[in-house]
Amino acid sequence: GDADHTPVLRGVRDLGRQVYLATWGGYGLSDTLRRAAFDHIDLLDGLDEFRNNELVVAVDNDAEAVAELTLDELRRAESHFSGGGYVGMNYFINRWKSTGMPHTPDERQDVLDALIDDGRVELYEAPNGDRAIRVIHHEDPPLLKRTS
């Protein structure tokens, strides 16, 4: 419940400052700490406001837009791990922080499966045996030469 932080909050309050505590539903927050704070903010109350409106529109109207947002996030993950790492499939589905793609693991898995089936994402085995994913970069088709 983080009651050990109460003296700090009281000290800040004694300096004439207001301390707000923000939690997801107030779970685990000690009554002592809550009383020492100026106020408590329950982040669950604003959850709908935190959602990415672009994603909401895309999910409601266009599966291709969701696929593109997910590809953008996978490119971002690839650049994050560009120092010799790889993007693990399980990590990307369950732990990658993003507002630009579906939030639940099942939805993310469905989108990635579709991208793999479409040939836009490759599933491969990383050096340590993990399942990894990467965006397939298709080369531009060669220009046709005119013959006279």
Side-chain angles (χ1 to χ4, degrees), residues 11-66:
V12 171
R13 188 180 61 201
D14 290 346
L15 293 171
R17 303 287 185 207
Q18 298 174 344
V19 176
Y20 291 82
L21 297 174
T23 65
W24 297 102
Y27 300 110
L29 181 61
S30 74
D31 291 334
T32 304
L33 189 61
R34 187 185 303 254
R35 283 191 302 271
F38 181 77
D39 203 357
H40 170 252
I41 301 168
D42 185 347
L43 297 173
L44 290 178
D45 292 340
L47 197 56
D48 290 336
E49 298 299 318
F50 302 146
R51 292 199 61 197
N52 182 326
N53 289 336
E54 183 179 3
L55 178 63
V56 172
V57 170
V59 168
D60 290 343
N61 299 318
D62 188 358
E64 181 57 31
V66 174

Side-chain angles (χ1 to χ4, degrees), residues 1-136:
D2 296 325
D4 56 322
H5 295 292
T6 302
V8 175
L9 266 66
R10 287 184 181 143
V12 171
R13 188 180 61 201
D14 290 346
L15 293 171
R17 303 287 185 207
Q18 298 174 344
V19 176
Y20 291 82
L21 297 174
T23 65
W24 297 102
Y27 300 110
L29 181 61
S30 74
D31 291 334
T32 304
L33 189 61
R34 187 185 303 254
R35 283 191 302 271
F38 181 77
D39 203 357
H40 170 252
I41 301 168
D42 185 347
L43 297 173
L44 290 178
D45 292 340
L47 197 56
D48 290 336
E49 298 299 318
F50 302 146
R51 292 199 61 197
N52 182 326
N53 289 336
E54 183 179 3
L55 178 63
V56 172
V57 170
V59 168
D60 290 343
N61 299 318
D62 188 358
E64 181 57 31
V66 174
E68 288 300 324
L69 289 168
T70 302
L71 283 170
D72 288 344
E73 284 299 312
L74 182 51
R75 287 184 195 100
R76 189 169 70 92
E78 288 176 325
S79 68
H80 178 76
F81 295 111
S82 64
Y86 62 91
V87 180
M89 177 93 160
N90 187 51
Y91 177 84
F92 190 72
I93 289 171
N94 293 296
R95 298 184 55 213
W96 182 254
K97 303 286 188 240
S98 168
T99 59
M101 56 190 249
H103 296 288
T104 69
D106 289 340
E107 291 171 322
R108 288 180 178 198
Q109 181 72 58
D110 290 344
V111 173
L112 282 172
D113 287 345
L115 289 168
I116 291 167
D117 290 344
D118 288 347
R120 296 193 279 175
V121 170
E122 177 183 18
L123 177 62
Y124 66 99
E125 187 174 313
N128 68 353
D130 286 348
R131 292 184 325 148
I133 52 175
R134 60 184 162 215
V135 175
I136 296 174

Side-chain angles (χ1 to χ4, degrees), residues 132-147:
I133 52 175
R134 60 184 162 215
V135 175
I136 296 174
H137 301 283
H138 296 285
E139 297 297 323
D140 292 331
L143 295 174
L144 295 176
K145 293 184 180 180
R146 274 192 191 171
T147 56

